[in-house]
Amino acid sequence: MTIFEELKARGLVFQTTDEEALKKALDEGHVSFYSGYDPTADSLHLGHLVPILVMKHLQLAGHKPYPLVGGATGLIGDPSFKDDERSLQTKETVKGWVESIRSQLERFIDFESGDNKAQMVNNYDWFESVSFIDFLRDVGKYFTVNYMMSKESVKKRIETGISYTEFAYQIMQAYDFYVLNQKYGVTLQIGGSDQWGNMTAGTELLRRKADTQGHVITVPLITDATGKKFGKSEGNAVWLDADKTSPYEMYQFWLNVMDADAVRFLKIFTFLSLDEIEDIRIKFEAAPHERLAQKTLAKEVVTFVHGEKAYKEAVKITEQLFAGNIKSLSAKELKQGLSNVPNYAVKSENSLNIVDILVATGIVNSKRQAREDVQNGAIYINGERVQDLDYILSDSDKIDNELTVIRRGKKKYFVLTY
């Protein structure tokens, strides 16, 4: 199976410009390619992972990646399928985000070994020295307004309004492709399906200005079995930065994927061979309650993004929380596993009597309810039941001298911090 055939079999190819020519180029030699990432935040998220995985597959097949961080285009904002114009960020903010994204990309692509080791590029390096007049003369003249307005990403914004700044974004991205072609021989661009218009503007510029054929692969917008856009967890993006989405949270995200999606996502998001995935599918469909596909998916993706140590820690937190073994976890681990539960900062003037603290933290709304819960065995301190109404929290109840975990009933957790 060729690399292009494998990408298609995995569901990683949505559109291409000239499939036969691209397949021939990938089969017959080493192709230099790029994928761009604008710094619209200080971290990439799960939606960016798909083109990153395509880059990795292509690099493993011997092709050379040029990951691009958009230090210039990030100052402008891509209008593609956005309802409103992005807020412009300061140069200092974007510069900081560029460095964060650069360090993330370096975790996923090999920059160290082989003739096809990756080379990071930043489009601010060439846009910084281009004058407005030169850009209009050397690039703008190759695009008609009719051509630019024909792009679906622009059409959708014409009715509500689009600034010239965002309107010009597509020819900036086109110029990236041209510069990378001229400097490094790049002939292939990888991007999301919403980037089709910007990416084909690049092949058009290569054709007209350099008499060169460029290729495009767009990856599909990933949706779950219900058609919902994938990569959101309770309304929030699943980030690749461990400080924004912890390895435990990411592990839980994959563990809770619907059965109907699990095997398909194994093809998209992991490097397991298609034969290995087929074996998992057979076992999974025979015993779906064991969730083999989801567990494998969670293991492979968390290990790829955060490393094996973080994966093992996520499994430990999951198992110990499920068993109620709070004291077997460190404060750091508990902060991951209980990041979404209510927190209460204990003040020096607070009474540490169990009844008083339950009311003060809002765990219950009255002393009467607090007393009932304690006497009925519904209150646990660090996993251990407390039924003494005179119980006083002490230093021995502080895990790593940082926090105490209170559980009410079977599943309601609360964290006290000091």
Side-chain angles (χ1 to χ4, degrees), residues 200-224:
T200 52
T203 60
E204 180 71 4
L205 184 61
L206 282 185
R207 182 184 67 81
R208 299 192 65 187
K209 187 173 173 63
D211 193 27
T212 298
Q213 182 179 20
H215 302 288
V216 162
I217 293 177
T218 64
V219 301
L221 174 68
I222 307 299
T223 58
D224 64 23

Side-chain angles (χ1 to χ4, degrees), residues 30 58-65 110 113-119:
H30 298 298
L58 287 169
Q59 185 178 36
L60 290 171
H63 306 290
K64 185 175 177 68
D110 185 0
S113 58
D115 294 335
N116 67 327
K117 63 184 178 183
Q119 181 172 336

